[in-house]
């Protein structure tokens, strides 16, 4: 069965600090997809990234970077030089090939203080 | 770019009433998903449709039903509403598996959600 664990319930940092959000997943499938979504206070779910199980390349997009390690079943998300606008709940999610439904982690509430 | 449209954005109903939520996917997306997010919870998958057929089913109560129409929009019908049904209901859509950018069929784009309050 699929499972996603985000052990950090809440994180609070001061603006410009770097912050890493942890995500650990469980799946029996060899082909699967990992995602990060951002949910700002307004409530919508914003797609940030998708990573395929067969592509372990890390990715950087501006201040955001993602570290995918199959050996530890982790898909961590780092925000560099955090800004107040980064304050949101961040969800890690997993989808198995053929199933398509997303299984979400519990979410990490990130607060960036000025 | 066009996004997923959900209506209404807010809905207040009383216990035992019925509610219908609507979802209009991104153009050319033919797969629609419904999720329920309770207060302080993560989104939970309810049901999905691909080419107007139910493709997967999650923890959807028997009081709820859904369908996808010929224009690919979807409706979630909820009957005998209970206080515990109060939640944010999201619709998401994705590309068909056989077209669109490689593997993009697994990227789900969410609508703004419908906040349902049952009193």
């Amino acid at each position: 069965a699929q499972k996603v664990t985000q052990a950090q319930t809440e994180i609070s940092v001061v603006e410009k600090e770097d912050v890493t959000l942890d995500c650990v997943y469980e799946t029996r499938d060899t082909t699967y997809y990992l995602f990060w979504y951002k949910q700002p206070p307004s409530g919508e779910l914003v797609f940030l990234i998708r990573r395929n199980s067969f592509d372990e390349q890390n990715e950087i997009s501006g201040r955001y970077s993602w570290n995918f390690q199959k050996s530890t079943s982790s898909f961590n998300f780092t925000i560099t030089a955090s800004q107040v606008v980064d304050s949101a709940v961040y969800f890690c999610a997993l989808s198995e090939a053929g199933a398509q439904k997303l299984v979400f982690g519990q979410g990490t509430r990130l607060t960036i203080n000025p | 770019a066009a996004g997923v449209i959900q209506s209404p954005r807010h809905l207040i109903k009383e216990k035992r009433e019925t509610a219908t939520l609507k979802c209009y996917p991104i153009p050319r997306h033919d797969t629609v998903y419904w999720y329920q997010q309770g207060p302080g919870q993560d989104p939970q998958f309810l049901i999905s449709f691909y080419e107007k057929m139910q493709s997967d089913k999650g923890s959807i109560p028997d009081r709820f039903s859904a369908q996808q129409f010929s224009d690919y929009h979807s409706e979630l019908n909820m009957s005998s509403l209970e206080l515990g049904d109060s939640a944010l209901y999201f619709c998401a859509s994705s590309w068909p598996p056989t077209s669109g950018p490689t593997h993009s069929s697994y990227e789900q784009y969410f609508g703004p959600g419908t906040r349902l309050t049952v009193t």
Side-chain angles (χ1 to χ4, degrees):
Chain A
Q2 311 161 257
K3 186 178 179 183
V4 178
T5 301
Q6 294 178 255
Q8 304 150 308
T9 306
E10 293 192 34
I11 299 176
S12 181
V13 300
V14 177
E15 201 172 17
K16 297 182 185 174
E17 285 187 18
D18 298 348
V19 58
T20 295
L21 309 182
D22 297 333
C23 173
V24 174
Y25 63 91
E26 294 176 31
T27 176
R28 292 196 202 120
D29 271 23
T30 54
T31 301
Y32 51 89
Y33 303 85
L34 295 163
F35 304 82
W36 276 95
Y37 284 86
K38 174 183 180 179
Q39 188 171 41
S42 50
E44 72 271 26
L45 280 165
V46 179
F47 168 80
L48 295 179
I49 190 172
R50 181 203 79 237
R51 176 56 76 217
N52 310 327
S53 56
F54 44 84
D55 180 4
E56 284 195 71
Q57 269 193 327
N58 291 327
E59 184 156 339
I60 297 174
S61 175
R63 296 184 296 107
Y64 294 172
S65 62
W66 291 270
N67 184 346
F68 175 33
Q69 293 199 340
K70 285 180 79 169
S71 59
T72 56
S73 298
S74 65
F75 185 44
N76 297 338
F77 172 30
T78 296
I79 302 175
T80 303
S82 60
Q83 300 176 2
V84 173
V85 293
D86 294 327
S87 297
V89 178
Y90 289 86
F91 289 98
C92 180
L94 168 70
S95 171
E96 292 175 340
Q100 291 196 304
K101 68 178 182 186
L102 291 173
V103 173
F104 287 84
Q106 305 92 318
T108 297
R109 181 176 298 278
L110 177 63
T111 302
I112 310 297
N113 299 299
Chain B
V4 176
I5 297 172
Q6 290 187 246
S7 68
R9 295 291 309 278
H10 301 272
L11 192 57
I12 300 175
K13 291 285 186 178
E14 294 188 355
K15 278 174 28 177
R16 292 179 288 276
E17 285 192 319
T18 61
T20 297
L21 310 185
K22 296 185 178 182
C23 169
Y24 297 86
I26 292 171
R28 294 164 61 200
H29 283 193
D30 67 354
T31 304
V32 169
Y33 312 79
W34 287 97
Y35 293 83
Q36 177 192 58
Q37 186 180 26
Q41 305 290 315
D42 54 286
Q44 295 289 317
F45 172 73
L46 292 178
I47 195 167
S48 63
F49 293 88
Y50 166 60
E51 281 292 341
K52 292 152 283 194
M53 300 281 289
Q54 181 181 306
S55 54
D56 200 359
K57 191 172 180 180
S59 48
I60 184 169
D62 292 340
R63 299 177 289 107
F64 294 5
S65 65
Q67 57 182 321
Q68 187 180 32
F69 295 85
S70 57
D71 64 351
Y72 296 108
H73 95 271
S74 178
E75 295 184 2
L76 178 65
N77 299 294
M78 311 158 71
S79 62
S80 303
L81 287 169
E82 302 173 356
L83 295 178
D85 295 329
S86 295
L88 194 52
Y89 289 84
F90 287 105
C91 171
S93 71
S94 67
W95 287 94
T98 54
S99 64
T102 303
H103 302 292
S104 62
S105 60
Y106 292 96
E107 291 178 11
Q108 295 183 24
Y109 294 88
F110 284 77
T114 294
R115 186 170 297 280
L116 172 66
T117 303
V118 181
T119 62

